[in-house]
Amino acid sequence: QAVSEDKGTEEARAAWKMVPRITGEYGVVGPHFWVKYSEKIRPPPTPELLEVIKKDEATPMWKLTNHEVKLLDVGPESCYWILLEDTRTKARKFEKKNR
């Protein structure tokens, strides 16, 4: 059954209104939380940052770097790698639970 253009637009607007609004401000909860990358994500995590890694479920995605910060040479103790490994662990648990 075909949906009229007006009906589709109305449904899209209703769906968009339900999307949570997240700030893009640097350094606050949201996708740019890890800015300044060289200060937050390169060294080992502080207890506060480790808590963010372990407990933040509200941020759908983080931006982890930009062209100015190279993370190829950071070690496994860095906040960067701990965040990636924690994300992989959570993804594996989710996948196993939902098979």
Side-chain angles (χ1 to χ4, degrees):
Q1 182 179 18
V3 175
S4 73
E5 187 176 320
D6 289 341
K7 175 97 170 131
T9 301
E10 184 180 310
E11 289 174 357
R13 283 188 180 129
W16 184 246
K17 284 182 182 179
M18 294 178 3
V19 174
R21 301 302 184 249
I22 300 172
T23 181
E25 186 179 348
Y26 288 174
V28 300
V29 173
H32 292 118
F33 173 78
W34 298 101
V35 174
K36 293 188 169 186
Y37 304 109
S38 57
E39 294 174 13
K40 279 186 162 178
I41 209 162
R42 288 184 69 91
T46 63
E48 294 82 13
L49 293 180
L50 193 55
E51 186 165 331
V52 169
I53 291 170
K54 299 290 185 190
K55 295 184 178 178
D56 183 323
E57 294 181 356
T59 305
M61 183 181 298
W62 282 315
K63 184 172 189 283
L64 298 181
T65 190
N66 66 15
H67 67 280
E68 296 171 358
V69 179
K70 306 299 182 224
L71 296 171
L72 294 174
D73 61 347
V74 297
E77 74 288 346
S78 69
C79 197
Y80 177 73
W81 278 107
I82 290 172
L83 171 60
L84 294 182
E85 288 301 322
D86 186 75
T87 301
R88 286 173 34 152
T89 299
K90 288 175 183 172
R92 287 183 181 127
K93 284 180 184 176
F94 178 84
E95 190 273 333
K96 188 175 182 179
K97 186 174 99 174
N98 293 289
R99 279 188 198 180

